[in-house]
Amino acid sequence: MRIDRMNQKNMRGSSPEARQEADLFPAQGTFARRQFAGILALMAGVAAFPRLAEAAVQPKFAAARPFSWDSLVQQARALAASPWAAPGVSPRAVADFDAVGKLTYGQAQALGGNVRLFPAAKGTSPHAVKLHLVENGSARELLDARGLFVGGKAADPAGFRVMTADQRSDWMAYLGASYFRASGSRDQYGLSARGIAVDTALPKAEEFPSFTEFWIENLGADHVRIHALLDGPSLTGAYAFDCRKTASGAGAGVTQDVRAALFFRRDIERLGAAPITSMFWYDQSDSAKRGDWRPEIHDSDGLALWSGSGERIWVPLTNPSVNRTNALRADHVKGFGLLQRDQAFDHYQDDGAYYDRRPSLWVEPQGDWGAGTVMLYRMPTDAETQDNIAAFWVSDQPAKAGQNREFSYRLNWTSQDPTVGTTARCVDSWQGRAGRPGDTPGAQDARKFVFDFEGPTLKGLTRDSGVTAATNLPPKALLHAAAYPVAGQEGRWRVTLDVLPSAVPAPEFRLYLKRTSKSGGEQALSETVIQGVQP
């Protein structure tokens, strides 16, 4: 499952500090090897285009009709009873790359006061979507979008973006299949979410259902409610997104309360709820992967999981040599997400794509999802323009034709780590040659793994506090282990492990910090890190 995309810098105002990358989403295709040359590669944003006069032509709408969540669910249920029809390419899909940019970022009228449209574009997002404006329980369908594109040009919408109050930037966007994203708390796009994942990480083609219709209700400058109809070969769905942008404080970022009702046309081997896609090329832990002068390049650096049992898990992301899948037990899951914990600019040195500002995405199930697993899928990549990471939750209950299923959850797009709590977190990791620096190397294929932890449970502890690193490595694989406080860094502890990969019986091992009291009792001090040992 690879999504090729475009890293494009969208100006947020006129200063370099205000720039934001607005690489958008793929249209349809195979997740195994999707070639996506993004719509926005050429655009430098609003500031790059001349300000044009407001178009004289006005958009046209159908008469208002009653609209509700119940009516949308009925529509999705009825649609599932009929065979799937593949969407056609818009006859007005724009072929010229420059024209796409001008239609997207040129000065034009907004829909409902804060929504601007993406035009259908050949080769990237060729399928038009239906749009409706909702007010007071009634919806008006957009029949003619002229006036909503520069110069009153005739074009079909393929998606939309929600603008800030000053209309200078956008904080949320939907475009292509069931993809959407939000800019988080630092005005920066990064990873993406999807409505649903169908047969991801299986030895067959992945299916990409699409949002085909949207109902948009403007509830204020930083509050919009979006309903969407999903359609695909195996299922249909009704979706509701209650979306809020908060500028500052503990809740800074974007939250989306999501409700989904799904109806299955046929059996689905793997149904992934609340899927997230991201990009990881390399970080400081593996310099051999580096193909660029920048020290690190990634949208996310790890998968975090809060299981129903209360265990906290952290899986550092890697760029594997072959496709890899982790299935993490997550019965009654409390939360999971792909996070960007490392937010130091000097670790990336990128003053255009701003990887240090990329948001994390945390999923909070509303209600009990039951027994299931969180799956992490990783593919090899050699470029930052390819999404190669996916995470989603899979129920133990199979999805069978004729059944229906509902999910409710909250999405938190934020730069504040949602896993901060009473346990210590893994905040950095490295790999290198085993042995003591400067000494003659020991076993030739042995590797040193280094992990740094921070958190309130570690403050005040010393080398005499009974803190050790607990692992599931067998004795023949663990050549040396140490855990100690980092000098001059309050509450920061380091674990070093010399590991013989050939003696490790699994593709990864587990590690956490624990404290043993004088009476023999044990206390877990940190989240559990699941570290891969195979390239």
Side-chain angles (χ1 to χ4, degrees):
M1 151 191 148
R2 173 170 291 163
I3 300 170
D4 287 354
R5 61 182 190 162
M6 201 22 290
N7 290 322
Q8 178 270 329
K9 300 169 185 65
N10 177 23
M11 295 296 291
R12 301 297 185 184
S14 57
S15 66
E17 291 76 20
R19 269 185 293 178
Q20 175 181 21
E21 184 192 29
D23 49 328
L24 285 186
F25 324 111
Q28 303 282 0
T30 303
F31 202 23
R33 288 280 179 204
R34 279 207 324 187
Q35 299 303 315
F36 175 59
I39 297 177
L40 307 175
L42 191 62
M43 280 70 79
V46 177
F49 298 106
R51 297 181 65 85
L52 303 178
E54 185 78 16
V57 64
Q58 295 296 311
K60 295 180 181 179
F61 295 87
R65 301 180 61 182
F67 176 76
S68 67
W69 167 254
D70 290 340
S71 66
L72 179 59
V73 170
Q74 291 175 5
Q75 185 176 351
R77 180 184 289 110
L79 186 61
S82 59
W84 177 70
V89 174
S90 165
R92 294 192 287 194
V94 183
D96 181 77
F97 209 57
D98 290 345
V100 173
K102 292 177 181 178
L103 288 175
T104 301
Y105 289 106
Q107 199 69 12
Q109 184 177 341
L111 178 69
N114 65 350
V115 171
R116 294 188 184 272
L117 305 184
F118 293 113
K122 292 182 178 178
T124 55
S125 53
H127 309 300
V129 297
K130 290 184 179 181
L131 297 176
H132 310 254
L133 276 184
V134 177
E135 291 179 312
N136 301 320
S138 295
R140 296 180 298 146
E141 181 183 350
L142 178 65
L143 300 178
D144 190 335
R146 283 180 296 180
L148 299 175
F149 293 106
V150 175
K153 295 291 180 63
D156 291 325
F160 61 91
R161 56 196 179 114
V162 181
M163 309 299 293
T164 54
D166 61 9
Q167 299 286 304
R168 293 180 63 85
S169 64
D170 54 294
W171 55 274
M172 187 168 60
Y174 286 72
L175 178 64
S178 66
Y179 285 83
F180 58 98
R181 65 175 51 172
S183 60
S185 53
R186 302 183 69 187
D187 197 30
Q188 180 64 52
Y189 283 120
L191 74 178
S192 307
R194 284 193 281 167
I196 201 71
V198 177
D199 293 341
T200 303
L202 289 175
K204 63 180 180 180
E206 181 177 2
E207 182 179 313
F208 285 86
S210 296
F211 288 138
T212 58
E213 291 191 57
F214 292 96
W215 290 259
I216 304 169
E217 184 177 8
N218 183 10
L219 300 174
D222 296 321
H223 187 191
V224 61
R225 184 176 295 125
I226 298 165
H227 288 82
L229 179 67
L230 182 84
D231 193 18
S234 297
L235 81 171
T236 67
Y239 282 76
F241 304 88
D242 193 35
C243 314
R244 298 175 185 267
K245 177 177 173 61
T246 303
S248 59
V254 176
T255 60
Q256 295 178 290
D257 288 320
V258 184
R259 185 179 182 184
L262 303 173
F263 302 90
F264 306 132
R265 283 192 172 102
R266 61 192 188 192
D267 295 352
I268 298 174
E269 185 174 352
R270 178 176 290 165
L271 182 73
I276 311 171
T277 66
S278 190
M279 179 275 296
F280 183 94
W281 187 4
Y282 61 84
D283 67 3
Q284 79 290 340
S285 67
D286 191 356
S287 60
K289 295 282 187 181
R290 187 179 300 176
D292 191 278
W293 66 270
R294 291 165 291 179
E296 300 184 41
I297 298 178
H298 51 81
D299 283 345
S300 310
D301 53 16
L303 168 73
L305 168 64
W306 187 12
S307 70
S309 66
E311 184 182 21
R312 300 273 191 168
I313 292 174
W314 175 251
V315 185
L317 294 182
T318 59
N319 179 4
S321 57
V322 296
N323 295 352
R324 295 199 179 281
T325 304
N326 285 78
L328 306 172
R329 199 68 213 165
D331 298 339
H332 319 291
V333 62
K334 296 180 179 180
F336 70 94
L338 292 175
L339 309 187
Q340 185 77 316
R341 281 184 173 172
D342 187 347
Q343 297 176 23
F345 172 79
D346 62 325
H347 291 184
Y348 302 92
Q349 292 294 339
D350 194 319
D351 59 351
Y354 290 114
Y355 289 105
D356 57 299
R357 300 182 185 177
R358 308 251 164 160
S360 300
L361 180 53
W362 181 249
V363 180
E364 294 181 52
Q366 305 297 297
D368 187 356
W369 282 9
T373 59
V374 166
M375 304 203 73
L376 173 64
Y377 183 47
R378 291 167 284 184
M379 299 180 304
T381 187
D382 58 3
E384 65 197 289
T385 56
Q386 298 168 339
D387 276 347
N388 63 320
I389 306 293
F392 46 89
W393 186 85
V394 179
S395 172
D396 285 355
Q397 296 297 318
K400 297 294 186 180
Q403 294 181 347
N404 62 282
R405 189 168 298 175
E406 291 198 15
F407 293 100
S408 293
Y409 52 97
R410 171 169 288 183
L411 297 177
N412 294 285
W413 308 76
T414 178
S415 291
Q416 299 177 2
D417 191 335
T419 65
V420 171
T422 58
T423 60
R425 300 169 299 130
C426 179
V427 296
D428 236 330
S429 61
W430 299 267
Q431 295 182 38
R433 188 177 64 186
R436 181 177 296 178
D439 286 356
T440 301
Q444 194 166 16
D445 62 341
R447 301 281 297 168
K448 183 180 291 294
F449 293 86
V450 181
F451 306 89
D452 275 10
F453 292 85
E454 288 184 353
T457 54
L458 300 177
K459 290 186 177 179
L461 300 181
T462 70
R463 289 177 180 266
D464 299 323
S465 298
V467 178
T468 57
T471 80
N472 62 344
L473 289 166
K476 62 180 180 180
L478 184 57
L479 305 181
H480 181 265
Y484 54 89
V486 179
Q489 303 291 322
E490 177 65 20
R492 188 178 182 107
W493 277 66
R494 178 163 295 171
V495 173
T496 63
L497 306 174
D498 283 3
V499 178
L500 194 62
S502 59
V504 180
E508 65 272 327
F509 64 87
R510 289 179 169 240
L511 160 77
Y512 67 94
L513 282 173
K514 69 176 183 179
R515 184 184 186 187
T516 304
S517 67
K518 293 181 179 180
S519 62
E522 292 187 352
Q523 174 193 5
L525 300 176
S526 75
E527 63 189 4
T528 300
V529 177
I530 300 179
Q531 175 65 54
V533 293
Q534 297 182 1

